[in-house]
């Protein structure tokens, strides 16, 4: 390797310092929020005068928070399932298909990743008002599906590209119908790709706030919308508690993804 | 009598490129037929058409007289071992081998019994519970072989299954393939670009060159009577000398070599209209002597490099007009001990051992 750790001389200390600073810069706000959520101060004083679980009690006692969480969860799960399903079909078409405009189509499928979400939100909102999808779970799911799909298509497409089509051909020659070959051989072989697609799609929906603000109605709110709304009214440590729980969930899911990848590699 | 497997006028075009051109082949039941040819000569394309993974542009393929072109690949009941490793990565060895039976909805007990027997056949009983990732390349190909045979297909296709393995392992598995062919009586179509592998395994060999079959025959037939210069080069070693065709009678030609030597009774292939040909000589069919032989055609030559190859001596000689000719002398040959670089010698051969191929134009 060109840049070997042992050959860097005193530069390695600079490198180490930069790395630590970057990590701290990224982690500090999270640690800060976590600390505040356990702090006793109503006014979010830092460092907290003393420690308490009070805000977590309040959070779990308030049905509107649980409602919002449940709504978010429902929507995210449906989005994840649909995103994996549609993403699988799209990835097969984009990876295996030999047709004109394939590259253009691939780029088109990924545009929601670079398109400003606000633009998408306004467009969808105008459309939803017309067809009566605003403030409905279906509307939420469809909107979130748009931002989740690129993740699925990317991660399933990558897995499929790394899968040797000859293995599927071998299954067909063994007597499996093409569909059976895909279901029994190809999909299990790219299971880790499907799994990360599901997790990323879930998170894309679960964390999403811009679209959700447009889609939400007083009776249908997702967790990020509820956090947003609460923050605008009053600053309460309950929000810090919610955020901490959200971060914990995200961490657990990311851990699952990397475990799945490691498992797929070793087997 | 209809042949067991028949390929009739098979062609495959990719756009304007012709990968396979008018291939005709009849294969007996239980025969071991090898497609031998260099890279890109259309061997795989022909095999894929048989498997149904590719659709030929024209021509037909029949098994026991019935066309299989309309049968989708999963119902052709043909076994195949690929060049690349194609075991199902998430299944164990036993599940891989059992897969064809499982998709045929056979009872579990039957599957277990047949899988056991197959793993025994490829000598991998002890590996039944391993995943493919935990096997060596040779073991993976043996599992693939077991998987392709477990449903007792009448035809087994093998597309360079050993190409990725080292020489020793390759020879070991070649022996196994021979034994399995003997024990099961399955008809095998085997693809390779390795002449030694083809000669070792096959009953008959079809030599592919640029999408056409140049010649079909047993290894000995191809060696003794190559139909084209390409086959002569591909099977065994050979050198070529340019010559003129002086006269032709009953497939035997009188030819003139540079230096004025005329040779009668040389088997001739191709259309002699152009009058030019190339004389093929095999290194092991040339005799070497210090004095000019009393009879038979002989060429004066100068010795170049001498290489001892264990049982024989490889002599690189050059004719007076500078053409290279190799000669292979058995180790006990009278001159072997005294031969040295720069010696002037005579190279003689029997006309029947040589062979002349007419130069292009008119073609073979
Ligand atoms: N899908 C395709 N599109 C265009 N050309 C192709 C396609 N498949 C094969 N060919 C061409 O057809 C020719 C024959 O290919 P084939 O795979 O049959 O060769 P082969 O004899 O099996 O060679 P190898 O020993 O390298 O496997 C090659 O020149 C190849 O480039
Ligand atoms: Mg090939």
């Amino acid at each position: 390797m060109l840049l070997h750790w042992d050959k860097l001389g005193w530069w390695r200390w600079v490198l180490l310092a930069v790395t630590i600073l970057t990590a701290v810069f990224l982690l500090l706000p999270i640690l800060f929020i976590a600390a505040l959520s356990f702090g006793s101060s109503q006014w979010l004083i830092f460092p907290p005068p003393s420690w308490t679980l009070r805000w977590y009690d309040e959070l779990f006692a308030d049905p509107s928070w649980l409602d919002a969480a449940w709504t978010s969860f429902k929507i995210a799960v449906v989005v994840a399932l649909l995103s994996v399903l549609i993403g699988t079909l799209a990835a097969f078409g984009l990876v295996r298909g030999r047709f004109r405009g394939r590259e253009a189509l691939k780029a088109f499928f990924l545009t929601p990743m670079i398109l400003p979400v606000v633009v998408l939100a306004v467009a969808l909102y105008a459309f939803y008002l017309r067809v009566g999808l605003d403030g409905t779970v279906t509307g939420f799911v469809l909107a979130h599906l748009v931002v989740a799909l690129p993740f699925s298509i990317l991660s399933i497409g990558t897995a499929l590209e790394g899968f040797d089509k000859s293995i599927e051909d071998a299954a067909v020659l063994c007597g499996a119908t093409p569909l059976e070959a895909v279901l029994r051989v190809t999909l299990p072989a790219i299971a880790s790709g499907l799994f990360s697609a599901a997790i990323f799609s879930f998170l894309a929906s679960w964390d999403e706030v811009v679209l959700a603000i447009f889609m939400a109605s007083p009776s249908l709110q997702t967790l990020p919308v509820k956090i947003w709304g609460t923050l605008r009214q009053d600053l309460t440590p309950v929000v810090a508690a919610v955020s901490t729980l959200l971060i914990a969930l995200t961490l657990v899911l990311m851990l699952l993804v990397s475990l799945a990848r490691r498992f797929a590699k070793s087997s | 009598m209809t042949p067991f497997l028949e390929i009739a006028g098979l062609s495959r075009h990719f756009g304007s490129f012709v990968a396979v051109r008018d291939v005709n082949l009849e294969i007996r039941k239980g025969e071991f037929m090898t497609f031998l040819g260099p890279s890109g000569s259309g061997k795989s394309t022909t095999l894929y058409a048989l498997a149904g993974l590719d659709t030929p542009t024209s021509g037909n393929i029949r098994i026991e007289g019935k066309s299989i072109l309309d049968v989708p690949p999963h119902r052709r009941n043909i076994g195949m071992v690929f060049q690349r490793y194609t075991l199902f990565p998430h299944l164990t060895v036993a599940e891989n081998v059992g897969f064809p039976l499982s998709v045929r909805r056979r009872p579990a007990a039957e599957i277990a019994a047949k899988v056991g027997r197959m793993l025994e056949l490829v000598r991998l009983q002890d590996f039944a519970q391993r995943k493919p990732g935990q096997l060596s390349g040779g073991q993976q190909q043996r599992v693939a072989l077991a998987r392709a045979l477990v449903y007792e297909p009448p035809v087994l296709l093998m597309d360079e299954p050993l190409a990725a393995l080292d020489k020793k392992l390759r020879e070991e598995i070649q022996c196994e393939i021979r034994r399995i062919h003997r024990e099961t009586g399955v008809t095998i179509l085997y693809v390779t670009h390795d002449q030694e592998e083809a000669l070792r395994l096959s009953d008959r060999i079809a030599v592919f060159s640029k999408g056409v079959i140049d010649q079909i025959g047993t290894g000995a037939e191809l060696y003794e009577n190559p139909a084209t210069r390409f086959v002569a080069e591909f099977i065994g070693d050979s050198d070529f000398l340019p010559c003129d065709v002086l006269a032709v009678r009953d497939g035997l030609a009188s030819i003139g070599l540079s230096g004025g030597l005329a040779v009668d009774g040389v088997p001739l292939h191709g259309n002699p209209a152009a009058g030019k040909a190339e004389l093929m000589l095999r290194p092991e069919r040339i005799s070497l002597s210090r004095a000019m032989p009393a009879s038979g055609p002989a060429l004066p030559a100068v010795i170049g490099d001498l290489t001892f190859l264990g049982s024989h001596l490889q002599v690189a000689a050059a004719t007076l007009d500078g053409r290279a000719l190799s000669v292979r002398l058995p180790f006990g040959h009278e001159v072997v001990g005294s031969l040295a670089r720069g010696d002037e010698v005579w190279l003689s051969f029997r006309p029947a051992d040589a062979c002349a191929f007419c130069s292009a134009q008119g073609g073979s």
Side-chain angles (χ1 to χ4, degrees):
Chain A
M1 228 191 323
L2 195 60
L3 281 176
H4 197 280
W5 180 244
D6 293 334
K7 291 189 193 142
L8 280 174
W10 60 272
W11 271 106
R12 68 171 117 166
W13 303 118
V14 177
L15 196 64
L16 194 64
V18 170
T19 311
I20 290 174
L21 279 176
T22 311
V24 167
F25 179 73
L26 290 175
L27 283 176
L28 213 53
I30 293 174
L31 296 176
F32 191 69
I33 287 283
L36 287 178
S37 76
F38 294 105
S40 59
S41 162
Q42 173 85 52
W43 315 110
L44 297 173
I45 291 168
F46 195 85
S50 67
W51 305 100
T52 174
L53 286 176
R54 189 179 139 205
W55 314 116
Y56 287 87
D57 284 340
E58 260 184 42
L59 169 64
F60 286 110
D62 182 349
S64 72
W65 280 111
L66 294 183
D67 271 358
W70 176 238
T71 306
S72 272
F73 182 77
K74 262 191 314 199
I75 291 170
V77 166
V78 177
V79 166
L81 290 177
L82 287 178
S83 164
V84 168
L85 185 70
I86 301 171
T88 304
L89 296 175
F92 265 87
L94 291 173
V95 172
R96 297 274 179 85
R98 292 283 167 272
F99 52 89
R100 279 174 50 136
R102 188 170 63 109
E103 288 303 316
L105 196 60
K106 192 186 269 178
F108 174 73
F109 272 120
L110 301 184
T111 40
M113 284 182 127
I114 42 172
L115 197 73
V117 187
V118 184
V119 175
L120 192 65
V122 172
L124 275 177
Y125 187 59
F127 175 65
Y128 278 10
L129 280 180
R130 178 163 293 206
V131 297
L133 274 174
D134 55 310
T136 65
V137 172
T138 316
F140 257 111
V141 167
L142 290 180
H144 281 175
L145 201 49
V146 174
V147 288
L149 256 182
F151 292 103
S152 271
I153 293 176
L154 269 186
S155 91
I156 299 172
T158 308
L160 200 57
E161 266 161 21
F163 173 79
D164 188 346
K165 167 85 161 50
S166 304
I167 298 177
E168 196 179 296
D169 290 341
V172 169
L173 289 182
C174 281
T177 63
L179 180 65
E180 208 176 358
V182 167
L183 293 179
R184 290 187 59 172
V185 172
T186 310
L187 292 187
I190 60 166
S192 76
L194 298 176
F195 185 70
S196 9
I199 298 289
F200 282 120
S201 299
F202 178 90
L203 286 177
S205 164
W206 175 258
D207 278 358
E208 206 290 322
V209 63
V210 180
L211 286 167
I213 286 174
F214 278 84
M215 302 302 146
S217 71
S219 59
L220 188 70
Q221 281 194 339
T222 59
L223 203 49
V225 176
K226 169 84 176 154
I227 294 175
W228 172 250
T230 309
L231 275 179
R232 295 214 312 175
Q233 284 160 20
D234 63 326
L235 201 59
T236 150
V238 175
V239 172
V242 176
S243 308
T244 306
L245 288 179
L246 283 181
I247 290 161
L249 178 71
T250 308
L251 274 181
V252 169
L253 291 180
M254 297 311 280
L255 206 67
L256 280 181
V257 169
S258 69
L259 278 182
R261 290 219 174 120
R262 185 166 310 174
F263 180 74
K265 226 171 264 166
S266 72
S267 74
Chain B
M1 205 191 98
T2 52
F4 173 64
L5 195 161
E6 186 188 8
I7 302 176
L10 190 82
S11 295
R12 176 63 162 113
H13 300 221
F14 293 107
S16 62
F17 178 76
V18 185
V20 174
R21 188 195 307 270
D22 192 28
V23 160
N24 291 284
L25 199 58
E26 295 186 351
I27 295 157
R28 293 189 304 273
K29 195 170 178 60
E31 192 170 24
F32 197 124
M33 166 69 85
T34 296
F35 295 172
L36 175 66
S39 188
S41 56
K43 311 177 299 283
S44 296
T45 306
T46 308
L47 215 59
Y48 277 46
L50 272 154
L53 296 176
D54 187 50
T55 311
T57 311
S58 60
N60 209 340
I61 300 169
R62 296 184 200 94
I63 291 183
E64 291 176 326
K66 281 195 285 291
S67 173
I68 59 168
L69 283 189
D70 293 332
V71 183
H74 64 276
R75 280 204 247 113
R76 287 197 186 181
N77 205 32
I78 284 177
M80 179 147 178
V81 181
F82 292 75
Q83 170 171 357
R84 288 185 299 216
Y85 303 137
T86 58
L87 295 185
F88 311 134
H90 61 293
L91 299 181
T92 64
V93 165
E95 288 165 341
N96 261 282
V97 176
F99 183 85
L101 301 175
S102 147
V103 297
R104 284 172 173 73
R105 314 270 184 265
R106 298 284 174 72
E110 182 194 332
I111 296 181
K114 284 198 171 157
V115 167
R117 217 172 315 138
M118 273 300 139
L119 289 180
E120 223 166 277
L121 187 70
V122 297
R123 304 183 202 278
L124 284 175
Q125 307 90 303
D126 301 338
F127 296 79
Q129 294 317 316
R130 293 233 194 148
K131 289 279 182 73
Q134 301 163 313
L135 298 179
S136 73
Q139 290 166 340
Q140 290 196 44
Q141 289 303 64
R142 273 147 68 195
V143 176
L145 184 58
R147 185 181 65 185
L149 285 172
V150 72
Y151 49 105
E152 293 164 27
V155 180
L156 176 64
L157 310 177
M158 302 177 89
D159 189 2
E160 308 202 35
L162 311 182
L165 308 180
D166 64 54
K167 190 168 156 57
K168 191 168 168 296
L169 198 57
R170 213 159 54 216
E171 286 174 5
E172 199 181 304
I173 302 184
Q174 282 165 3
C175 286
E176 303 237 333
I177 292 175
R178 275 197 74 99
R179 175 179 59 83
I180 288 167
H181 178 238
R182 234 180 10 248
E183 287 177 12
T184 59
V186 61
T187 307
I188 297 183
L189 270 84
Y190 193 96
V191 165
T192 180
H193 57 251
D194 176 358
Q195 57 147 317
E196 210 181 299
E197 184 165 284
L199 293 169
R200 195 184 299 248
L201 291 173
S202 333
D203 295 324
R204 283 194 302 156
I205 299 171
V207 182
F208 276 70
S209 158
K210 298 187 184 129
V212 300
I213 295 185
D214 265 24
Q215 192 175 4
I216 305 168
T218 63
E221 282 165 8
L222 299 180
Y223 174 79
E224 289 292 342
N225 264 314
T228 66
R229 179 185 162 142
F230 179 82
V231 175
E233 273 181 307
F234 217 79
I235 307 273
D237 296 323
S238 48
D239 286 306
F240 296 87
L241 298 176
C243 61
D244 296 314
V245 182
L246 307 174
V248 187
R249 244 183 67 198
D250 303 335
L252 296 180
S254 299
I255 57 149
L257 286 159
S258 72
L261 177 68
V263 186
D264 294 330
V266 177
L268 182 78
H269 293 279
N271 179 355
K276 293 278 179 199
E278 285 182 293
L279 181 71
M280 179 208 75
L281 294 170
R282 301 260 190 216
E284 58 278 15
R285 296 287 176 89
I286 296 179
S287 315
L288 183 148
S289 56
R290 292 201 179 272
M292 182 174 168
S295 65
L299 290 161
V302 179
I303 301 295
D305 283 331
L306 299 168
T307 317
F308 273 104
L309 292 174
S311 61
H312 60 266
L313 177 70
Q314 182 84 16
V315 182
T319 61
L320 295 188
D321 57 337
R323 304 275 168 183
L325 272 185
S326 324
V327 183
R328 195 168 297 161
L329 300 176
F331 193 63
H333 194 278
E334 49 190 300
V335 297
V336 162
S338 63
L339 213 55
R341 195 186 176 86
D343 284 0
E344 292 179 5
V345 294
W346 288 88
L347 305 180
S348 54
F349 57 93
R350 296 192 321 139
D353 286 342
C355 191
F357 299 103
C358 296
S359 310
Q361 200 245 353
S364 48

